[in-house]
Amino acid sequence: MTDVALGGAMPNGEELDRLIQLIASERDKQAFALLYKHFAPRLKAFLLRQGLAASVAEELAQETMLSVWRKASYFDPQRAGAATWIFTIARNLRIDHLRRDRSVSTPDPESEDTVDDGETGEAFVLRAEREERLRTAMKSLSPEQAAIVRLSFFNDKPHSEIASELGLPLGTVKSRVRLALGKLRTLLEGQL
Amino acid sequence: MSIQHHPSDETLLRYAAGRLPVAPGLVVATHLSGCVECRARVATFEAMGGSLLEQVTPEPMEPEALARLLAQIDAPAPPPRAPAPRKPLPTLPGGILLPRALRHCEMGRWRWLGPGVRASSLTIAQDPSARLTLLRVGPGRKLPEHGHTGLEFTQILSGSFSDGFGRYRPGDLSEMDSEIDHQPIVDPEGECICLTAMEGEMRIGGMFGRLLTSFARI
Ligand SMILES: [Zn+2]
């Protein structure tokens, strides 16, 4: 097992996974602090990038890390890496926050299992394989296509925002998005 | 039976990114619960979210943020919320259950919308503005034209319908752009029950469109 680097170099994926496992098994606060230093500022930046105000981004980054502490035992590195798992927690909290904003609040203890995973019989692609394929595929997209995919991820009105960010007419964007995602699909499936 | 019609990649990406509005999101969640292929695709897009999170340029947190959080995790965790009483899922005509993905929705009464067409609106406590509708359409009948701009998502729960793009059976999801002219007609074998939501502005369509529009506003 790799020792977790204290400070200095950025921890790699396996080290981050290990930190979450230490939190789960040992309630290890030092591991939590390391994980926090890595992810909290990234979560804040990510949430800002998604259009939230700085104070809200900060608060949701905190809530996400608190959830990481509380739910660490549910983390399964075979299914998703640390960054992906933490991303999904932040995503769900952001959705809850946006609903809260509409002044209606009904706590939904099951909000995170909207999808029944139905493990049985799942053609289970190992996480490492999925992430590796995705990395290779993203590198094979043209810079413009990679930008389109990224912007589709961040923006609420992806078409108009992509249009203004890339200086393309709105009509063109729709087909470019479809082309970029089609290419990504071909690349992901081509590696099977 | 294998699923023939799936949400587009763009829709699955937006779902994974948490950017699909509530009602279309629930139609997609219903599809996902029965579709291994789309679940794998969503998992890939979630991994994309993870890698974007890794790549973003960090934004410093407030100086005391970590200390405050460490103090908070020392405090006793709030008592777990009492689990909401488990209501049995409503049964739909024909004996199928309302999909589990919709368990937090309140199902309205079936209302007459036109000859052979009934609808029940599903309300979502967390988001009353969301418009999600169950349609129950008799054999050989046309599905109501919604009259809207944007995307329309329809998941088949029972029975089947056909349009210019093929035949849709239980488990299939039809995703249609309003620019595309298509008229789904329920197959002659029996009634079709489907779950439908749309994104974008409503506009007045034909008679059914008007009916459905006024219905959805109630
Ligand atoms: Zn599917």
Side-chain angles (χ1 to χ4, degrees), chain A residues 29 36 38 41-42 44-45 50 58 62 91 94 102 104 108 113 122 153-154 156 159 174 185 189, chain B residues 9-10 15-16 18-19 39 41 46 48 52 54 57 59-60 62 65 74 78 103-104 125 127 179:
Chain A
K29 284 192 187 162
Y36 182 98
H38 183 75
R42 284 179 170 75
K44 185 174 177 183
Q50 289 191 308
E58 168 105 10
Q62 290 281 82
R91 171 196 68 190
R94 178 179 159 278
R102 295 191 178 135
V104 183
D108 179 1
D113 68 359
E122 189 106 341
F153 210 93
F154 280 116
D156 261 335
H159 293 158
K174 220 182 247 191
R185 179 188 276 247
E189 283 167 1
Chain B
D9 279 345
E10 190 179 3
Y15 180 85
R19 307 214 139 254
R39 282 206 296 273
R41 208 156 276 280
E46 286 175 344
M48 187 187 283
L52 290 172
E54 276 292 349
T57 308
E59 185 71 31
E62 283 166 19
D74 273 333
R103 64 189 174 282
H104 299 300
D127 191 349
E179 286 166 17

Side-chain angles (χ1 to χ4, degrees), chain A residues 8-80:
Chain A
M10 195 169 111
N12 67 29
E14 272 169 41
E15 287 164 348
L16 294 168
D17 291 355
R18 178 85 191 117
L19 291 173
I20 301 178
Q21 289 171 315
L22 281 170
I23 296 167
S25 61
E26 319 282 337
R27 306 267 81 190
D28 184 332
K29 284 192 187 162
Q30 199 188 9
F32 180 75
L34 285 170
L35 196 72
Y36 182 98
K37 282 181 184 142
H38 183 75
F39 278 114
R42 284 179 170 75
L43 284 165
K44 185 174 177 183
F46 192 89
L47 292 160
L48 282 169
R49 184 81 179 71
Q50 289 191 308
L52 294 178
S55 60
V56 179
E58 168 105 10
E59 181 198 322
L60 285 183
Q62 290 281 82
E63 272 188 52
T64 303
M65 292 312 295
L66 183 60
S67 274
V68 167
W69 172 264
R70 291 189 178 148
K71 295 180 177 173
S73 62
Y74 295 101
F75 173 65
D76 177 0
Q78 300 238 291
R79 300 187 62 110

Side-chain angles (χ1 to χ4, degrees), chain A residues 46 50 83-95 115 130 134 149 152-155 181, chain B residues 7-21 24-25 28-29 32 38-50 52:
Chain A
F46 192 89
Q50 289 191 308
T84 299
W85 185 63
I86 292 175
F87 157 74
T88 58
I89 293 175
R91 171 196 68 190
N92 295 346
L93 287 172
R94 178 179 159 278
I95 292 173
V115 180
R130 170 162 53 230
L134 180 65
V149 171
S152 305
F153 210 93
F154 280 116
N155 295 328
L181 289 170
Chain B
S8 68
D9 279 345
E10 190 179 3
T11 292
L12 293 174
L13 180 141
R14 291 172 66 208
Y15 180 85
R19 307 214 139 254
L20 210 53
V28 171
L32 289 173
C38 287
R39 282 206 296 273
R41 208 156 276 280
V42 166
T44 298
F45 289 134
E46 286 175 344
M48 187 187 283
L52 290 172

Side-chain angles (χ1 to χ4, degrees), chain A residues 117-124, chain B residues 36 39:
Chain A
D117 271 337
E119 207 72 56
T120 44
E122 189 106 341
F124 195 67
Chain B
V36 177
R39 282 206 296 273

